[in-house]
Amino acid sequence: MTPNLVLNSRRIFLLGCGSALLVTAGCVTTTGPAKVDGATDDTRAALPLVNELRKKHGLSPLSASVPTGRAAAEQAVRMAKANQMSHLIGFGDDYGARMKRNDVPLPAAENIASGQTTVTEAVQAWIDSPKHLQNMLGSYNRVGVAVARSPSTNRTYWAMVLSA
């Protein structure tokens, strides 16, 4: 192989790698469903319900985001595995570290629920809870909603993450 051909091959390879890195980095801000094994991303089903609520209160709509969806899915799975509805599960659990690990922009808030069979029921439970309602009416731009089932009891665990 001639030196120019090797150099051109390396450039093409590096350009290809750079494109792959750009695509991967771009995934953080796309609005497709978040993927976490054991969870179902229900953001698309929850979004019209939450945005209708916000509209009634004169607030701008939220949009779906992969980081908030991924953080919600992670929390739903964690609760389902522990069979416990809690923001913090286990010694040393750290909400801020979880948000950072999932690239969720701060400030952020988290709503959780358990036992509801549909996303409509979960959103209604949050509307009926003053602190959860306050989160949904907060100064946020993005949202992710996910559900997971306990492997031992089949109980549902829901999580909503809202962020700036």
Side-chain angles (χ1 to χ4, degrees), residues 27-51:
C27 289
V28 172
T29 59
T30 63
T31 57
K35 303 285 187 208
V36 173
D37 286 342
T40 300
D41 185 329
D42 266 345
T43 305
R44 287 183 188 223
L47 203 52
L49 303 170
V50 175
N51 282 338

Side-chain angles (χ1 to χ4, degrees), residues 54-132:
R54 290 177 62 85
K55 183 178 178 181
K56 287 179 185 176
H57 287 85
L59 300 170
S60 60
L62 302 175
S63 60
S65 79
V66 171
T68 56
R70 190 173 47 239
E74 180 184 329
Q75 180 62 12
V77 168
R78 293 171 71 244
M79 292 188 299
K81 285 181 178 177
N83 217 16
Q84 174 186 356
M85 188 180 82
S86 178
H87 293 283
L88 301 175
I89 299 171
F91 181 74
D93 195 2
D94 185 327
Y95 169 82
R98 188 162 23 95
M99 293 302 115
K100 184 175 181 177
R101 179 173 58 250
N102 285 293
D103 299 318
V104 173
L106 298 178
E110 179 177 78
N111 288 351
I112 58 174
S114 179
Q116 296 78 9
T117 57
T118 67
V119 70
T120 302
E121 290 175 5
V123 170
Q124 188 60 54
W126 292 323
I127 290 170
D128 293 342
S129 166
K131 289 191 184 246
H132 292 109

